[in-house]
């Protein structure tokens, strides 16, 4: 439950209430006890607590996504920071035209702000050590953010749209001509899709995936990347 205030064109300061009704994704990096980070995306509805006619504003109502990032810099919380971005559905939160509300839009992106009070606490139940096998348990433990790219810019993997209601496109860019192996795991560790192909091309899959969270692992020789996917 989040409340923010904004001066609107009618000259009044409106009070908006954001209520989360479903969690889409969550990522935590608790490897540094003095700087633990987290980010999540949730499906929300928005209500104008001042206006009596909420349906007149197309930006209000349901099917909104709230993107939240936070940093826990230890106790007592005076150095903790957080940011919020509200968009319609799966719109890109990094594009100004898509944003309904940003907590602190500066220089073409939403920047975190230090807390004015209170305390943020980020923690993880996973062992955050590096993965040595490709089992789903180890992938989950090593997945500290949405994308893990272990080989730098010469091996780049991107998936879009993500989240998706239909299918995913996965693009593999590499300077090597070695074959690419792609595996998709469901949340229980079962392989639900696998294919082999070449680099510098796109792969489409996921049309028949049920709603949920998936992990796609892409390997090319000793290069490896893992991305979390969300099917709505």
């Amino acid at each position: 439950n989040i409340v923010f205030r904004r001066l609107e064109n009618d000259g009044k300061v409106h009070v908006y209430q954001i209520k989360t009704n479903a969690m889409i994704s969550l990522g935590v990096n608790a490897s540094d006890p003095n700087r633990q980070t987290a980010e999540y995306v949730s499906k929300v509805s928005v209500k104008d607590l001042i206006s009596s006619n909420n349906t007149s504003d197309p930006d209000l109502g349901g099917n909104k996504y709230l993107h939240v990032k936070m940093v826990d810099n230890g106790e007592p919380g005076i150095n903790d920071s957080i940011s919020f971005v509200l968009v319609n559905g799966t719109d890109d939160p990094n594009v100004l035209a898509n944003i309904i509300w940003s907590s602190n839009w500066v220089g073409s992106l939403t920047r975190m702000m230090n807390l004015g009070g209170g305390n943020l606490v980020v923690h993880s139940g996973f062992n955050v050590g590096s993965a040595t096998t490709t089992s789903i348990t180890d992938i989950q433990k090593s997945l500290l953010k949405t994308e893990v790219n272990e080989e730098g810019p010469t091996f780049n993997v991107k998936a879009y749209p993500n989240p998706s209601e239909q299918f995913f496109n996965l693009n593999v860019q590499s300077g090597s001509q070695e074959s690419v192996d792609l595996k998709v795991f469901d949340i229980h560790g079962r392989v639900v899709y696998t294919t082999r192909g070449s680099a510098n091309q796109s792969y489409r899959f996921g049309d028949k995936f049920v709603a949920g969270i998936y992990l796609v692992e892409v390997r090319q020789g000793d290069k490896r990347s893992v991305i979390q996917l969300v099917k709505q």
Side-chain angles (χ1 to χ4, degrees), residues 1 45 55 148 173 195:
N1 182 45
S45 60
T55 59
V148 177
Q173 295 293 328
T195 189

Side-chain angles (χ1 to χ4, degrees), residues 80-128:
D80 294 349
S81 56
I82 195 167
S83 66
F84 302 91
V85 184
L86 181 67
V87 296
N88 274 311
T90 58
D91 287 353
D92 187 343
N94 298 309
V95 177
L96 180 59
N98 296 337
I99 295 177
I100 299 173
W101 171 65
S102 167
S103 58
N104 187 33
W105 183 266
V106 180
S108 76
L109 79 161
T110 298
R111 298 185 183 274
M112 291 187 179
M113 299 177 68
N114 286 348
L115 295 184
N119 189 11
L120 293 175
V121 178
V122 175
H123 57 84
S124 171
F126 288 121
N127 177 353
V128 295

Side-chain angles (χ1 to χ4, degrees), residues 8-23:
E8 300 292 9
N9 293 330
D10 60 5
K12 298 179 181 180
V13 175
H14 287 237
V15 180
Y16 297 97
Q17 181 184 45
I18 303 173
K19 281 192 173 183
T20 300
N21 46 48
M23 184 67 73

Side-chain angles (χ1 to χ4, degrees), residues 23-191:
M23 184 67 73
I24 302 299
S25 65
L26 169 67
V28 174
N29 185 344
S31 58
D32 183 351
N34 297 314
R35 183 179 173 81
Q36 302 184 106
T37 64
E39 57 183 276
Y40 70 85
V41 181
S42 59
K43 187 175 292 186
V44 301
S45 60
V46 184
K47 182 178 181 181
D48 186 345
L49 301 181
I50 299 297
S51 174
S52 60
N53 183 17
N54 292 313
T55 59
S56 63
D57 189 337
D59 286 343
L60 298 180
N63 195 33
K64 306 290 184 294
Y65 276 34
L66 182 70
H67 298 253
V68 181
K69 295 183 179 181
M70 63 185 71
V71 177
D72 175 9
N73 282 313
E75 302 305 320
I78 57 175
N79 295 315
D80 294 349
S81 56
I82 195 167
S83 66
F84 302 91
V85 184
L86 181 67
V87 296
N88 274 311
T90 58
D91 287 353
D92 187 343
N94 298 309
V95 177
L96 180 59
N98 296 337
I99 295 177
I100 299 173
W101 171 65
S102 167
S103 58
N104 187 33
W105 183 266
V106 180
S108 76
L109 79 161
T110 298
R111 298 185 183 274
M112 291 187 179
M113 299 177 68
N114 286 348
L115 295 184
N119 189 11
L120 293 175
V121 178
V122 175
H123 57 84
S124 171
F126 288 121
N127 177 353
V128 295
S130 298
T132 56
T133 71
T134 59
S135 70
I136 191 67
T137 301
D138 290 331
I139 292 174
Q140 287 175 325
K141 289 180 180 179
S142 67
L143 194 63
L144 304 181
K145 53 185 179 179
T146 301
E147 178 175 322
V148 177
N149 191 336
E150 299 179 346
E151 294 296 326
T154 60
F155 183 66
N156 192 24
V157 179
K158 297 291 184 181
Y160 59 94
N162 187 25
S164 175
E165 296 181 354
Q166 298 178 355
F167 57 85
F168 301 97
N169 291 302
L170 187 138
N171 184 262
V172 181
Q173 295 293 328
S174 174
S176 170
Q177 298 302 314
E178 288 186 80
S179 297
V180 171
D181 291 298
L182 186 154
K183 289 184 179 179
V184 181
F185 302 86
D186 66 13
I187 198 64
H188 302 292
R190 297 171 297 200
V191 177

Side-chain angles (χ1 to χ4, degrees), residues 217-230:
E217 180 191 49
V218 182
R219 285 186 177 273
Q220 186 189 44
D222 59 352
K223 303 179 182 69
R224 171 177 173 267
S225 182
V226 178
I227 296 178
Q228 178 176 293
L229 305 174
V230 178

